[in-house]
Amino acid sequence: MDEALLRSLTPNVLTVLVRRGADFAAAEDAVQDALIEALRVWPGDPPRDAKGWLITVAWRKFLDATRADAARRRREDLVEEESAPGPAPAVDDTLQLYFLCAHPSLTPSSAVALTLRAVGGLTTQQIAQAYLVPEATMAQRISRAKRTVCDVRFDQPGDVATVLRVLYLVFNEGYCGDVDLAAEAIRLTRQLAAAVDHPEVAGLLALMLLHHARRAARTAADGSLVPLAEQDRGRWDTALIAEGVGILQAALARDRLGEFQAQAAVAALHADAPTAEETDWVQIVEWYDELARLTDSPVVRLNRAVAVGEADGPRAGLAALAQLDASLPRYAAVAAYLHERDGDLATAAWLYAEAAHKAPNLAERDHLTRQAARLNTRRRR
């Protein structure tokens, strides 16, 4: 594929979409999606009219995104019509609201979804992505939760485990998504740790601090993502790392292991490695084994496959990956990475393009698109 041709056509395609009525940001997203589709399709089926093909696909992507966004807004407007009664609080009682929304009359998953939407500020789409369910399913779940609690007294707050789950998901969206919620999640978790003496509360705080310590190194000057192995470790916040490790060690010493402590232990092993090559991947696999035992989470097993690939070689990682559902978010990205390490550049390039098409945010999409282009360039040399 002629990547120079793609780059030269991009401004023209963008201009056509804007002239047809697309706002600039939405047009950029649509063109990016069309370029990803070109990376996937053109090597095996090149079009006769490259510019016409890109315009057609980009315009279709724009229309699909516009319709989906309009439908989402209509659903969320219906949910928002059921507002909670009572005056607005005069003080910062956000953490208390987290507990009140985690009402005993709700299932834990419904309580988490309601709190994320009503208090955490996440959209229905973001919550659905975190739970690996369709957006329509999550909208119905939130609506049912609001109907359930609309006639009950909010004098029976939910349990700590539900609130921890909410804080964890808010932090994840702030750390990985398009909205910066990480600092707020850390602030609330500090409040909770000061009020509740529980090793999993400490484990979650340690996990947040250890991940947040790497925040400055995660993006380049142009906003592109920098993978963990390529990050400048001199930019990591050593004070946050030291605080997180200290909190984690105190929690683990209580011998009441939970999933947040185990995740924090993985993060601590990454933080402790002077270089990417010195990472103790064998111990990380062992912690992922503990996490899989505690949670039986497919996302944990996906991350474990990466660790196995580092500890025992890419083919071992691919064997672990083969046991999982290929529809999992970021499955294609993990498969691409392991295939590249195994020397299968053609498969890796195709999978990177596929992963870019499914990426949950623009920064990740751009990173995966560049990975696909890099491998396609290497193959032609």
Side-chain angles (χ1 to χ4, degrees), residues 22 30 35 38 48 65-66 75 151 168 170 185 213 217 233 244 273 289 335-336 361 366 377-378:
L35 293 176
R48 294 182 180 178
T66 300
R75 289 193 295 270
D151 294 323
Y168 172 71
V170 169
R233 300 187 177 218
D289 287 340
N361 57 69
D366 288 346
T377 298
R378 283 181 57 187

mmCIF file of all heavy atoms in Angstrom, residues 22 30 35 38 48 65-66 75 151 168 170 185 213 217 233 244 273 289 335-336 361 366 377-378:
data_model
loop_
_atom_site.group_PDB
_atom_site.id
_atom_site.type_symbol
_atom_site.label_atom_id
_atom_site.label_comp_id
_atom_site.label_asym_id
_atom_site.label_seq_id
_atom_site.Cartn_x
_atom_site.Cartn_y
_atom_site.Cartn_z
ATOM 1 N N ALA A 22 -20.132 18.119 7.940
ATOM 2 C CA ALA A 22 -19.570 17.523 9.151
ATOM 3 C C ALA A 22 -18.749 18.566 9.901
ATOM 4 O O ALA A 22 -18.034 19.359 9.273
ATOM 5 C CB ALA A 22 -18.685 16.325 8.789
ATOM 6 N N ALA A 30 -13.878 10.465 11.457
ATOM 7 C CA ALA A 30 -14.369 9.642 10.351
ATOM 8 C C ALA A 30 -13.263 9.334 9.347
ATOM 9 O O ALA A 30 -13.151 8.200 8.854
ATOM 10 C CB ALA A 30 -15.539 10.352 9.648
ATOM 11 N N LEU A 35 -9.093 5.610 7.121
ATOM 12 C CA LEU A 35 -7.691 5.230 6.912
ATOM 13 C C LEU A 35 -7.398 3.859 7.518
ATOM 14 O O LEU A 35 -6.669 3.048 6.943
ATOM 15 C CB LEU A 35 -6.772 6.292 7.521
ATOM 16 C CG LEU A 35 -6.796 7.676 6.849
ATOM 17 C CD1 LEU A 35 -5.919 8.644 7.627
ATOM 18 C CD2 LEU A 35 -6.328 7.585 5.403
ATOM 19 N N ALA A 38 -8.743 1.357 5.262
ATOM 20 C CA ALA A 38 -7.879 1.217 4.090
ATOM 21 C C ALA A 38 -6.677 0.333 4.400
ATOM 22 O O ALA A 38 -6.279 -0.508 3.578
ATOM 23 C CB ALA A 38 -7.415 2.600 3.618
ATOM 24 N N ARG A 48 -9.861 1.193 -7.371
ATOM 25 C CA ARG A 48 -9.462 1.892 -8.592
ATOM 26 C C ARG A 48 -9.342 3.395 -8.351
ATOM 27 O O ARG A 48 -8.486 4.066 -8.913
ATOM 28 C CB ARG A 48 -10.479 1.622 -9.694
ATOM 29 C CG ARG A 48 -10.521 0.168 -10.150
ATOM 30 C CD ARG A 48 -11.529 0.000 -11.278
ATOM 31 N NE ARG A 48 -11.583 -1.385 -11.740
ATOM 32 C CZ ARG A 48 -12.405 -1.818 -12.690
ATOM 33 N NH1 ARG A 48 -13.233 -0.961 -13.288
ATOM 34 N NH2 ARG A 48 -12.398 -3.092 -13.052
ATOM 35 N N ALA A 65 -21.561 7.350 13.013
ATOM 36 C CA ALA A 65 -21.218 7.914 14.320
ATOM 37 C C ALA A 65 -22.247 8.943 14.760
ATOM 38 O O ALA A 65 -22.631 9.003 15.933
ATOM 39 C CB ALA A 65 -19.824 8.548 14.264
ATOM 40 N N THR A 66 -22.723 9.763 13.813
ATOM 41 C CA THR A 66 -23.711 10.788 14.143
ATOM 42 C C THR A 66 -25.020 10.163 14.599
ATOM 43 O O THR A 66 -25.623 10.581 15.591
ATOM 44 C CB THR A 66 -23.962 11.691 12.912
ATOM 45 O OG1 THR A 66 -22.734 12.308 12.528
ATOM 46 C CG2 THR A 66 -24.993 12.771 13.235
ATOM 47 N N ARG A 75 -31.385 8.277 24.613
ATOM 48 C CA ARG A 75 -31.542 7.332 25.723
ATOM 49 C C ARG A 75 -31.129 7.972 27.039
ATOM 50 O O ARG A 75 -31.776 7.796 28.069
ATOM 51 C CB ARG A 75 -30.699 6.075 25.445
ATOM 52 C CG ARG A 75 -31.250 5.205 24.326
ATOM 53 C CD ARG A 75 -30.572 3.844 24.316
ATOM 54 N NE ARG A 75 -29.167 3.946 23.997
ATOM 55 C CZ ARG A 75 -28.673 3.898 22.766
ATOM 56 N NH1 ARG A 75 -29.488 3.780 21.734
ATOM 57 N NH2 ARG A 75 -27.367 3.977 22.551
ATOM 58 N N ASP A 151 -38.371 5.248 45.121
ATOM 59 C CA ASP A 151 -39.353 5.262 46.215
ATOM 60 C C ASP A 151 -38.789 4.750 47.535
ATOM 61 O O ASP A 151 -39.551 4.477 48.462
ATOM 62 C CB ASP A 151 -40.576 4.407 45.833
ATOM 63 C CG ASP A 151 -41.347 4.994 44.663
ATOM 64 O OD1 ASP A 151 -41.438 6.240 44.598
ATOM 65 O OD2 ASP A 151 -41.835 4.222 43.826
ATOM 66 N N TYR A 168 -12.791 2.379 41.318
ATOM 67 C CA TYR A 168 -11.853 1.716 40.416
ATOM 68 C C TYR A 168 -12.207 2.002 38.957
ATOM 69 O O TYR A 168 -11.341 2.337 38.138
ATOM 70 C CB TYR A 168 -11.880 0.213 40.695
ATOM 71 C CG TYR A 168 -11.105 -0.645 39.726
ATOM 72 C CD1 TYR A 168 -9.716 -0.623 39.711
ATOM 73 C CD2 TYR A 168 -11.772 -1.498 38.849
ATOM 74 C CE1 TYR A 168 -8.999 -1.428 38.831
ATOM 75 C CE2 TYR A 168 -11.067 -2.301 37.966
ATOM 76 C CZ TYR A 168 -9.686 -2.261 37.960
ATOM 77 O OH TYR A 168 -8.977 -3.053 37.084
ATOM 78 N N VAL A 170 -14.089 4.515 37.797
ATOM 79 C CA VAL A 170 -13.914 5.939 37.523
ATOM 80 C C VAL A 170 -12.440 6.229 37.244
ATOM 81 O O VAL A 170 -12.088 6.945 36.304
ATOM 82 C CB VAL A 170 -14.425 6.791 38.697
ATOM 83 C CG1 VAL A 170 -14.007 8.253 38.525
ATOM 84 C CG2 VAL A 170 -15.942 6.709 38.797
ATOM 85 N N ALA A 185 -10.796 10.429 41.391
ATOM 86 C CA ALA A 185 -10.904 9.089 41.964
ATOM 87 C C ALA A 185 -9.869 8.895 43.078
ATOM 88 O O ALA A 185 -10.167 8.303 44.122
ATOM 89 C CB ALA A 185 -10.710 8.032 40.878
ATOM 90 N N ALA A 213 1.546 7.430 38.896
ATOM 91 C CA ALA A 213 2.954 7.843 38.906
ATOM 92 C C ALA A 213 3.566 7.801 37.512
ATOM 93 O O ALA A 213 4.539 8.510 37.229
ATOM 94 C CB ALA A 213 3.753 6.942 39.859
ATOM 95 N N ALA A 217 4.646 10.003 31.624
ATOM 96 C CA ALA A 217 5.451 9.311 30.616
ATOM 97 C C ALA A 217 4.601 8.555 29.600
ATOM 98 O O ALA A 217 5.142 7.997 28.646
ATOM 99 C CB ALA A 217 6.421 8.343 31.298
ATOM 100 N N ARG A 233 11.542 6.264 32.105
ATOM 101 C CA ARG A 233 11.272 6.002 33.515
ATOM 102 C C ARG A 233 11.770 7.125 34.421
ATOM 103 O O ARG A 233 11.367 7.201 35.586
ATOM 104 C CB ARG A 233 11.863 4.651 33.910
ATOM 105 C CG ARG A 233 11.233 3.542 33.070
ATOM 106 C CD ARG A 233 11.590 2.132 33.446
ATOM 107 N NE ARG A 233 10.830 1.238 32.569
ATOM 108 C CZ ARG A 233 10.295 0.083 32.943
ATOM 109 N NH1 ARG A 233 10.462 -0.357 34.177
ATOM 110 N NH2 ARG A 233 9.608 -0.636 32.083
ATOM 111 N N GLY A 244 2.850 4.531 47.127
ATOM 112 C CA GLY A 244 2.033 3.388 46.748
ATOM 113 C C GLY A 244 2.605 2.069 47.227
ATOM 114 O O GLY A 244 1.873 1.213 47.741
ATOM 115 N N ALA A 273 11.173 -2.142 38.381
ATOM 116 C CA ALA A 273 12.157 -2.531 37.367
ATOM 117 C C ALA A 273 12.893 -1.304 36.831
ATOM 118 O O ALA A 273 12.257 -0.387 36.309
ATOM 119 C CB ALA A 273 11.464 -3.264 36.222
ATOM 120 N N ASP A 289 -2.031 -15.109 38.107
ATOM 121 C CA ASP A 289 -2.675 -16.363 38.498
ATOM 122 C C ASP A 289 -3.550 -16.151 39.738
ATOM 123 O O ASP A 289 -4.669 -16.673 39.833
ATOM 124 C CB ASP A 289 -1.630 -17.445 38.763
ATOM 125 C CG ASP A 289 -0.985 -17.961 37.483
ATOM 126 O OD1 ASP A 289 -1.586 -17.784 36.403
ATOM 127 O OD2 ASP A 289 0.132 -18.531 37.562
ATOM 128 N N ALA A 335 -3.018 -9.926 20.511
ATOM 129 C CA ALA A 335 -2.626 -10.920 19.502
ATOM 130 C C ALA A 335 -1.615 -10.331 18.526
ATOM 131 O O ALA A 335 -0.649 -10.997 18.134
ATOM 132 C CB ALA A 335 -3.867 -11.409 18.761
ATOM 133 N N ALA A 336 -1.825 -9.075 18.133
ATOM 134 C CA ALA A 336 -0.890 -8.412 17.207
ATOM 135 C C ALA A 336 0.502 -8.333 17.815
ATOM 136 O O ALA A 336 1.504 -8.641 17.155
ATOM 137 C CB ALA A 336 -1.396 -7.014 16.864
ATOM 138 N N ASN A 361 -10.689 4.774 22.295
ATOM 139 C CA ASN A 361 -10.425 6.210 22.305
ATOM 140 C C ASN A 361 -9.457 6.550 21.180
ATOM 141 O O ASN A 361 -8.786 5.675 20.619
ATOM 142 C CB ASN A 361 -9.880 6.678 23.666
ATOM 143 C CG ASN A 361 -8.631 5.935 24.066
ATOM 144 O OD1 ASN A 361 -7.565 6.099 23.464
ATOM 145 N ND2 ASN A 361 -8.734 5.096 25.094
ATOM 146 N N ASP A 366 -4.947 5.879 17.245
ATOM 147 C CA ASP A 366 -3.808 6.410 16.497
ATOM 148 C C ASP A 366 -2.563 5.557 16.710
ATOM 149 O O ASP A 366 -1.805 5.281 15.768
ATOM 150 C CB ASP A 366 -3.527 7.850 16.922
ATOM 151 C CG ASP A 366 -4.569 8.820 16.408
ATOM 152 O OD1 ASP A 366 -5.346 8.431 15.523
ATOM 153 O OD2 ASP A 366 -4.605 9.961 16.901
ATOM 154 N N THR A 377 5.425 -1.191 6.492
ATOM 155 C CA THR A 377 6.637 -0.606 5.900
ATOM 156 C C THR A 377 7.810 -1.585 6.010
ATOM 157 O O THR A 377 8.580 -1.773 5.048
ATOM 158 C CB THR A 377 6.999 0.700 6.622
ATOM 159 O OG1 THR A 377 5.933 1.641 6.456
ATOM 160 C CG2 THR A 377 8.265 1.313 6.060
ATOM 161 N N ARG A 378 7.960 -2.229 7.160
ATOM 162 C CA ARG A 378 9.036 -3.206 7.355
ATOM 163 C C ARG A 378 8.914 -4.364 6.389
ATOM 164 O O ARG A 378 9.915 -4.875 5.866
ATOM 165 C CB ARG A 378 9.027 -3.732 8.785
ATOM 166 C CG ARG A 378 9.601 -2.793 9.834
ATOM 167 C CD ARG A 378 9.568 -3.419 11.198
ATOM 168 N NE ARG A 378 10.285 -4.679 11.253
ATOM 169 C CZ ARG A 378 10.291 -5.484 12.319
ATOM 170 N NH1 ARG A 378 9.592 -5.168 13.395
ATOM 171 N NH2 ARG A 378 10.983 -6.614 12.304
#
